[in-house]
Amino acid sequence: MSTEIDATAQFQALVADPRHRRDDSTAMVEQYYALVGDVYRESWGPSQHMACYGPGQSREEATEAHEKDLADRAGITADSYVLDLCSGVGGPACTIAAHTGARVTGVDLVADRVREAQDNARKRGLEGRVSFRVADATALPFDDSVFTAAYSFEALCHVPDKHRAHREVARVLRSGGVWTGYDWMRAAGPQADEVAETICRTHGLAALATLDELRQGLAAAGFTDIHVSDGRDLGDWAPNWDLLEKLTAELPPRDQLPPVLRMMTDGARAACAGARSGDFFIGYWHARRTQEEP
Ligand SMILES: C[S@@+](CC[C@H](N)C(=O)[O-])C[C@H]1O[C@@H](n2cnc3c(N)ncnc32)[C@H](O)[C@@H]1O
């Protein structure tokens, strides 16, 4: 317990200052997932993102349908070679490879999560088509123009220089390739500033972008046919917040929780309140690499 208290305190000291979240983001992300990885695994399984729900869907059904829907919108097929940026423990890459027959390579900053992703792919018999490696989204270890499509689920919020990540994706995509995904995002304005700050501190996020900033980042990286939107334009996200609220309500009182769970509960409550008020939302983008050089 004292180790957990020390590790949580160390993490919270780091994230308290937005400059550290920007300048020490690798340490921040590594510390965050060392703290929350077990809870994430037990609560969410191998796909650790929210989902757009269809009527009557369970979380598992909605998550799988949401991942397949992204693959279909991106035009991913058995001939595709796909990059999963910030692939976590591999759930989305496995679902998309199984659904489309594509080859998928995931990159993630955290070595333990890459190992877990490899195990998950092996368990699903997908190790021939799905692979993972440790890499930073802003410095990809690939030659230019190798992938036919790229996607990311809810991870760019961890990355301080999102424009650089978009440029890296543009570099490794072939002309015509689609870059698409979802991210934790914020509305503009002072109320949203406060909401975003609490969400970033409790989730180890560098910063939440607005839809305008996302559009600018994609355009600056040379993408065309850019579409960005609030995910709520695509369907129903409320069940994510309903579920989080239910899970946090079932826990013991806050002062009886171990420090990690207390931080996660604070984070979940901030995310739910921000989502209900509209200051925080899951954003969506879809863009195409059409130029020879980004
Ligand atoms: C919320 S998890 C989502 C994982 C996965 N996309 C999914 O939906 O299951 C965010 C992931 O981004 C990874 N990450 C954060 N910053 C990164 C960076 N700069 N480069 C690569 N991965 C990063 C984290 O390690 C974590 O696995």
Coordinates of all heavy atoms in Angstrom, one line a residue, residues 101-162:
G101 N -9.5 -8.8 -42.2 CA -8.4 -9.6 -42.8 C -7.2 -8.8 -43.1 O -6.2 -9.3 -43.6
A102 N -7.2 -7.5 -42.7 CA -6.0 -6.6 -42.9 C -4.8 -7.0 -42.0 O -5.0 -7.7 -41.0 CB -6.4 -5.2 -42.6
R103 N -3.6 -6.6 -42.3 CA -2.5 -6.6 -41.4 C -2.5 -5.3 -40.6 O -2.7 -4.3 -41.2 CB -1.2 -6.7 -42.2 CG -0.8 -8.1 -42.7 CD 0.6 -8.1 -43.3 NE 0.6 -7.2 -44.4 CZ 1.7 -6.5 -44.8 NH1 2.8 -6.5 -44.0 NH2 1.7 -5.7 -45.8
V104 N -2.3 -5.4 -39.3 CA -2.3 -4.2 -38.5 C -1.0 -4.2 -37.6 O -0.7 -5.2 -37.0 CB -3.5 -4.2 -37.5 CG1 -3.6 -2.9 -36.7 CG2 -4.8 -4.4 -38.3
T105 N -0.4 -3.1 -37.6 CA 0.7 -2.9 -36.7 C 0.4 -1.8 -35.7 O 0.0 -0.7 -36.1 CB 2.0 -2.5 -37.5 OG1 2.4 -3.6 -38.3 CG2 3.2 -2.1 -36.5
G106 N 0.5 -2.1 -34.4 CA 0.2 -1.1 -33.4 C 1.5 -0.6 -32.8 O 2.5 -1.3 -32.7
V107 N 1.5 0.7 -32.4 CA 2.6 1.2 -31.6 C 2.0 1.8 -30.3 O 1.0 2.4 -30.3 CB 3.4 2.3 -32.4 CG1 4.1 1.7 -33.6 CG2 2.5 3.5 -32.7
D108 N 2.8 1.6 -29.3 CA 2.4 2.2 -28.0 C 3.7 2.5 -27.2 O 4.7 1.9 -27.4 CB 1.6 1.3 -27.2 CG 0.8 2.0 -26.0 OD1 1.4 2.2 -25.0 OD2 -0.4 2.3 -26.3
L109 N 3.6 3.6 -26.4 CA 4.8 4.1 -25.7 C 5.2 3.1 -24.5 O 6.4 3.1 -24.1 CB 4.4 5.4 -25.1 CG 5.4 6.4 -24.6 CD1 6.4 6.8 -25.7 CD2 4.7 7.7 -24.2
V110 N 4.3 2.4 -24.0 CA 4.5 1.6 -22.8 C 4.8 0.1 -23.1 O 3.9 -0.6 -23.6 CB 3.3 1.8 -21.8 CG1 3.6 1.0 -20.5 CG2 3.0 3.2 -21.5
A111 N 6.0 -0.3 -22.7 CA 6.5 -1.6 -23.1 C 5.6 -2.7 -22.5 O 5.3 -3.7 -23.2 CB 7.9 -1.8 -22.6
D112 N 5.2 -2.6 -21.3 CA 4.3 -3.6 -20.7 C 3.0 -3.8 -21.5 O 2.4 -4.8 -21.6 CB 3.9 -3.3 -19.2 CG 5.1 -3.6 -18.3 OD1 6.0 -4.3 -18.7 OD2 5.0 -3.2 -17.1
R113 N 2.5 -2.6 -22.0 CA 1.2 -2.7 -22.7 C 1.4 -3.3 -24.1 O 0.6 -4.1 -24.6 CB 0.6 -1.3 -22.8 CG 0.1 -0.8 -21.4 CD -0.3 0.6 -21.4 NE -1.5 0.9 -22.1 CZ -2.8 0.6 -21.7 NH1 -2.9 -0.1 -20.5 NH2 -3.8 0.9 -22.4
V114 N 2.6 -3.1 -24.6 CA 2.9 -3.7 -25.9 C 3.0 -5.3 -25.7 O 2.5 -6.0 -26.5 CB 4.2 -3.2 -26.5 CG1 4.8 -4.0 -27.6 CG2 4.0 -1.7 -27.0
R115 N 3.6 -5.7 -24.6 CA 3.7 -7.1 -24.4 C 2.4 -7.7 -24.2 O 2.0 -8.8 -24.7 CB 4.6 -7.4 -23.1 CG 6.1 -7.5 -23.4 CD 6.8 -8.0 -22.2 NE 6.9 -7.0 -21.1 CZ 7.8 -6.0 -21.1 NH1 8.7 -5.9 -22.0 NH2 7.8 -5.2 -20.1
E116 N 1.5 -7.0 -23.4 CA 0.1 -7.5 -23.2 C -0.6 -7.6 -24.5 O -1.4 -8.5 -24.7 CB -0.6 -6.6 -22.2 CG -1.8 -7.2 -21.6 CD -2.4 -6.3 -20.4 OE1 -1.6 -5.6 -19.7 OE2 -3.6 -6.3 -20.3
A117 N -0.4 -6.6 -25.4 CA -1.1 -6.6 -26.7 C -0.6 -7.8 -27.5 O -1.5 -8.5 -28.1 CB -0.8 -5.3 -27.4
Q118 N 0.7 -8.1 -27.4 CA 1.2 -9.3 -28.2 C 0.5 -10.6 -27.6 O 0.1 -11.5 -28.4 CB 2.7 -9.4 -28.1 CG 3.4 -8.3 -29.0 CD 4.8 -8.0 -28.6 OE1 5.3 -8.3 -27.5 NE2 5.6 -7.4 -29.5
D119 N 0.4 -10.7 -26.3 CA -0.2 -11.9 -25.7 C -1.7 -12.0 -26.2 O -2.2 -13.0 -26.5 CB -0.2 -11.7 -24.2 CG 1.1 -12.1 -23.6 OD1 2.0 -12.6 -24.4 OD2 1.3 -11.8 -22.4
N120 N -2.4 -10.8 -26.2 CA -3.8 -10.8 -26.6 C -3.9 -11.3 -28.0 O -4.9 -12.0 -28.3 CB -4.4 -9.4 -26.3 CG -4.7 -9.2 -24.9 OD1 -5.0 -10.2 -24.1 ND2 -4.7 -8.0 -24.4
A121 N -3.0 -10.8 -28.9 CA -3.1 -11.2 -30.3 C -2.8 -12.7 -30.4 O -3.5 -13.4 -31.2 CB -2.1 -10.4 -31.1
R122 N -1.9 -13.2 -29.7 CA -1.6 -14.7 -29.7 C -2.8 -15.5 -29.2 O -3.1 -16.5 -29.9 CB -0.4 -15.0 -28.8 CG 0.8 -15.5 -29.5 CD 1.9 -16.0 -28.6 NE 2.2 -15.2 -27.4 CZ 3.0 -14.1 -27.4 NH1 3.6 -13.7 -28.5 NH2 3.2 -13.4 -26.3
K123 N -3.4 -15.0 -28.2 CA -4.6 -15.8 -27.6 C -5.7 -15.8 -28.7 O -6.5 -16.8 -28.7 CB -5.1 -15.1 -26.4 CG -4.3 -15.4 -25.1 CD -4.9 -14.7 -23.9 CE -3.9 -14.5 -22.8 NZ -4.1 -13.4 -22.0
R124 N -5.8 -14.8 -29.5 CA -6.8 -14.8 -30.5 C -6.4 -15.4 -31.9 O -7.1 -15.4 -32.9 CB -7.3 -13.3 -30.8 CG -8.0 -12.8 -29.6 CD -8.7 -11.4 -29.8 NE -9.6 -11.4 -30.9 CZ -10.4 -10.4 -31.2 NH1 -10.3 -9.3 -30.5 NH2 -11.3 -10.5 -32.2
G125 N -5.1 -16.0 -31.9 CA -4.6 -16.6 -33.1 C -4.3 -15.6 -34.2 O -4.4 -16.0 -35.4
L126 N -4.0 -14.4 -33.8 CA -3.8 -13.3 -34.8 C -2.4 -12.9 -35.0 O -2.1 -11.9 -35.6 CB -4.7 -12.1 -34.5 CG -6.2 -12.3 -34.7 CD1 -7.0 -11.2 -34.0 CD2 -6.5 -12.3 -36.2
E127 N -1.4 -13.6 -34.3 CA -0.1 -13.1 -34.3 C 0.6 -13.0 -35.7 O 1.5 -12.2 -35.9 CB 0.8 -13.9 -33.3 CG 1.1 -15.3 -33.7 CD 0.0 -16.3 -33.2 OE1 -1.2 -15.9 -33.1 OE2 0.4 -17.4 -32.8
G128 N 0.0 -13.7 -36.6 CA 0.6 -13.6 -38.0 C 0.2 -12.3 -38.7 O 0.9 -11.9 -39.6
R129 N -0.9 -11.7 -38.3 CA -1.4 -10.5 -39.0 C -1.3 -9.3 -38.2 O -1.5 -8.1 -38.7 CB -2.8 -10.8 -39.5 CG -2.8 -11.3 -40.9 CD -4.2 -11.4 -41.5 NE -5.0 -12.3 -40.8 CZ -6.2 -12.0 -40.4 NH1 -6.7 -10.8 -40.5 NH2 -6.9 -12.9 -39.8
V130 N -1.2 -9.4 -36.8 CA -1.2 -8.3 -36.0 C 0.1 -8.2 -35.2 O 0.5 -9.2 -34.6 CB -2.4 -8.4 -35.0 CG1 -2.5 -7.2 -34.1 CG2 -3.7 -8.5 -35.7
S131 N 0.8 -7.1 -35.2 CA 2.0 -7.0 -34.4 C 2.0 -5.6 -33.7 O 1.3 -4.7 -34.1 CB 3.2 -7.1 -35.3 OG 3.2 -6.1 -36.3
F132 N 2.9 -5.6 -32.7 CA 2.9 -4.4 -31.9 C 4.4 -4.0 -31.6 O 5.2 -4.9 -31.5 CB 2.2 -4.6 -30.5 CG 0.8 -4.9 -30.7 CD1 0.3 -6.2 -30.8 CD2 -0.2 -3.9 -30.9 CE1 -1.0 -6.6 -30.9 CE2 -1.5 -4.2 -31.1 CZ -1.9 -5.5 -31.1
R133 N 4.7 -2.8 -31.5 CA 6.0 -2.4 -31.1 C 6.0 -1.1 -30.2 O 5.1 -0.3 -30.3 CB 7.0 -2.3 -32.2 CG 6.6 -1.4 -33.3 CD 7.5 -1.7 -34.6 NE 8.8 -1.1 -34.4 CZ 9.7 -1.1 -35.4 NH1 9.4 -1.5 -36.6 NH2 10.9 -0.6 -35.2
V134 N 7.1 -1.0 -29.4 CA 7.1 0.2 -28.5 C 7.6 1.4 -29.4 O 8.6 1.3 -30.1 CB 8.2 0.0 -27.4 CG1 8.3 1.2 -26.5 CG2 7.7 -1.2 -26.5
A135 N 6.9 2.5 -29.4 CA 7.3 3.7 -30.1 C 6.4 4.8 -29.7 O 5.3 4.7 -29.2 CB 7.1 3.5 -31.6
D136 N 7.0 6.0 -29.9 CA 6.3 7.3 -29.6 C 5.5 7.7 -30.8 O 6.1 7.7 -31.9 CB 7.3 8.3 -29.2 CG 6.7 9.6 -28.6 OD1 5.6 10.0 -29.2 OD2 7.2 10.2 -27.7
A137 N 4.3 8.1 -30.6 CA 3.4 8.5 -31.7 C 4.0 9.7 -32.5 O 3.7 9.9 -33.7 CB 2.0 8.9 -31.2
T138 N 5.0 10.4 -31.9 CA 5.5 11.6 -32.6 C 6.9 11.3 -33.2 O 7.6 12.2 -33.7 CB 5.7 12.8 -31.6 OG1 6.6 12.4 -30.5 CG2 4.4 13.2 -31.1
A139 N 7.3 10.0 -33.2 CA 8.6 9.6 -33.8 C 8.5 8.1 -34.2 O 9.0 7.2 -33.6 CB 9.8 9.8 -32.8
L140 N 7.8 7.9 -35.3 CA 7.4 6.5 -35.7 C 8.6 5.8 -36.3 O 9.3 6.4 -37.2 CB 6.2 6.6 -36.6 CG 4.9 7.1 -36.0 CD1 3.8 7.2 -37.0 CD2 4.5 6.1 -34.8
P141 N 8.8 4.6 -36.0 CA 10.0 3.8 -36.5 C 9.7 3.1 -37.8 O 9.9 1.9 -37.9 CB 10.2 2.8 -35.3 CG 8.8 2.5 -34.8 CD 8.1 3.8 -35.0
F142 N 9.1 3.9 -38.7 CA 8.7 3.3 -40.0 C 9.2 4.2 -41.2 O 9.3 5.4 -41.0 CB 7.2 3.1 -40.1 CG 6.6 2.4 -39.0 CD1 5.7 3.0 -38.1 CD2 6.8 1.0 -38.9 CE1 5.2 2.3 -37.0 CE2 6.2 0.3 -37.8 CZ 5.4 1.0 -36.9
D143 N 9.5 3.5 -42.3 CA 9.8 4.3 -43.5 C 8.6 5.1 -44.0 O 7.5 4.9 -43.5 CB 10.2 3.3 -44.6 CG 11.6 2.7 -44.3 OD1 12.3 3.2 -43.5 OD2 11.8 1.6 -44.9
D144 N 8.9 6.0 -44.9 CA 7.8 6.8 -45.5 C 6.8 5.9 -46.3 O 7.2 4.9 -46.9 CB 8.3 7.9 -46.4 CG 9.2 8.9 -45.7 OD1 9.4 8.8 -44.5 OD2 9.8 9.7 -46.5
S145 N 5.6 6.3 -46.3 CA 4.6 5.7 -47.2 C 4.4 4.2 -47.2 O 4.3 3.6 -48.2 CB 4.9 6.1 -48.7 OG 5.2 7.5 -48.7
V146 N 4.5 3.6 -46.0 CA 4.3 2.1 -45.9 C 2.9 1.7 -45.6 O 2.5 0.6 -46.0 CB 5.3 1.5 -44.9 CG1 6.7 1.5 -45.4 CG2 5.2 2.2 -43.5
F147 N 2.1 2.5 -44.9 CA 0.8 2.1 -44.5 C -0.3 2.6 -45.5 O -0.2 3.6 -46.1 CB 0.4 2.6 -43.1 CG 1.3 2.0 -42.0 CD1 2.4 2.7 -41.5 CD2 1.0 0.7 -41.5 CE1 3.2 2.1 -40.5 CE2 1.9 0.1 -40.6 CZ 2.9 0.9 -40.1
T148 N -1.4 1.8 -45.6 CA -2.5 2.2 -46.5 C -3.6 2.9 -45.7 O -4.5 3.5 -46.3 CB -3.1 1.0 -47.3 OG1 -3.5 0.0 -46.3 CG2 -2.1 0.3 -48.2
A149 N -3.6 2.7 -44.4 CA -4.6 3.4 -43.5 C -4.0 3.5 -42.1 O -3.1 2.7 -41.8 CB -5.9 2.7 -43.5
A150 N -4.5 4.5 -41.4 CA -4.1 4.6 -40.0 C -5.3 5.0 -39.1 O -6.1 5.8 -39.6 CB -2.9 5.6 -39.8
Y151 N -5.3 4.6 -37.9 CA -6.4 5.0 -37.0 C -5.8 5.1 -35.5 O -4.8 4.5 -35.2 CB -7.6 4.0 -37.0 CG -7.3 2.6 -36.5 CD1 -7.4 2.4 -35.1 CD2 -6.8 1.6 -37.3 CE1 -7.1 1.1 -34.6 CE2 -6.5 0.4 -36.8 CZ -6.6 0.1 -35.4 OH -6.3 -1.1 -34.9
S152 N -6.6 5.7 -34.7 CA -6.3 5.8 -33.3 C -7.5 5.9 -32.4 O -8.4 6.7 -32.8 CB -5.4 7.0 -33.0 OG -5.0 7.0 -31.6
F153 N -7.6 5.2 -31.4 CA -8.7 5.3 -30.4 C -8.3 6.0 -29.1 O -7.5 5.4 -28.4 CB -9.3 3.9 -30.1 CG -10.1 3.3 -31.1 CD1 -9.6 2.4 -32.0 CD2 -11.5 3.6 -31.3 CE1 -10.4 1.8 -33.0 CE2 -12.3 3.0 -32.2 CZ -11.7 2.1 -33.1
E154 N -8.8 7.2 -28.9 CA -8.7 7.9 -27.6 C -7.4 7.9 -27.0 O -7.2 7.4 -25.9 CB -9.8 7.2 -26.7 CG -11.2 7.5 -27.3 CD -12.3 6.9 -26.4 OE1 -12.1 6.7 -25.2 OE2 -13.4 6.7 -27.0
A155 N -6.4 8.4 -27.7 CA -5.0 8.4 -27.1 C -4.3 9.7 -27.4 O -3.3 10.0 -26.7 CB -4.2 7.2 -27.7
L156 N -4.6 10.5 -28.5 CA -3.9 11.7 -28.8 C -3.9 12.7 -27.6 O -3.0 13.5 -27.5 CB -4.4 12.3 -30.1 CG -4.0 11.5 -31.4 CD1 -4.5 12.2 -32.6 CD2 -2.5 11.4 -31.5
C157 N -4.9 12.6 -26.8 CA -5.0 13.5 -25.6 C -3.8 13.3 -24.7 O -3.5 14.2 -24.0 CB -6.3 13.2 -24.9 SG -6.7 11.4 -24.7
H158 N -3.1 12.2 -24.7 CA -1.9 12.0 -23.9 C -0.7 12.7 -24.6 O 0.3 13.0 -23.9 CB -1.5 10.5 -23.9 CG -2.4 9.7 -23.0 ND1 -2.4 9.8 -21.6 CD2 -3.2 8.6 -23.3 CE1 -3.2 8.9 -21.1 NE2 -3.7 8.1 -22.1
V159 N -0.8 13.0 -25.8 CA 0.4 13.5 -26.6 C 0.4 15.0 -26.6 O -0.5 15.7 -27.0 CB 0.3 13.0 -28.1 CG1 1.5 13.5 -28.9 CG2 0.2 11.4 -28.1
P160 N 1.5 15.6 -26.1 CA 1.6 17.1 -26.1 C 1.6 17.7 -27.5 O 0.9 18.6 -27.7 CB 2.9 17.3 -25.4 CG 3.5 16.1 -24.9 CD 2.7 14.9 -25.5
D161 N 2.4 17.2 -28.4 CA 2.5 17.8 -29.7 C 1.7 17.0 -30.7 O 2.2 16.1 -31.4 CB 4.0 17.8 -30.1 CG 4.2 18.7 -31.4 OD1 3.2 19.0 -32.0 OD2 5.4 19.0 -31.7
K162 N 0.4 17.2 -30.7 CA -0.5 16.5 -31.6 C -0.3 16.7 -33.0 O -0.4 15.9 -33.9 CB -2.0 16.8 -31.2 CG -2.3 16.5 -29.7 CD -3.7 16.8 -29.4 CE -3.9 17.1 -27.9 NZ -3.2 16.4 -26.9

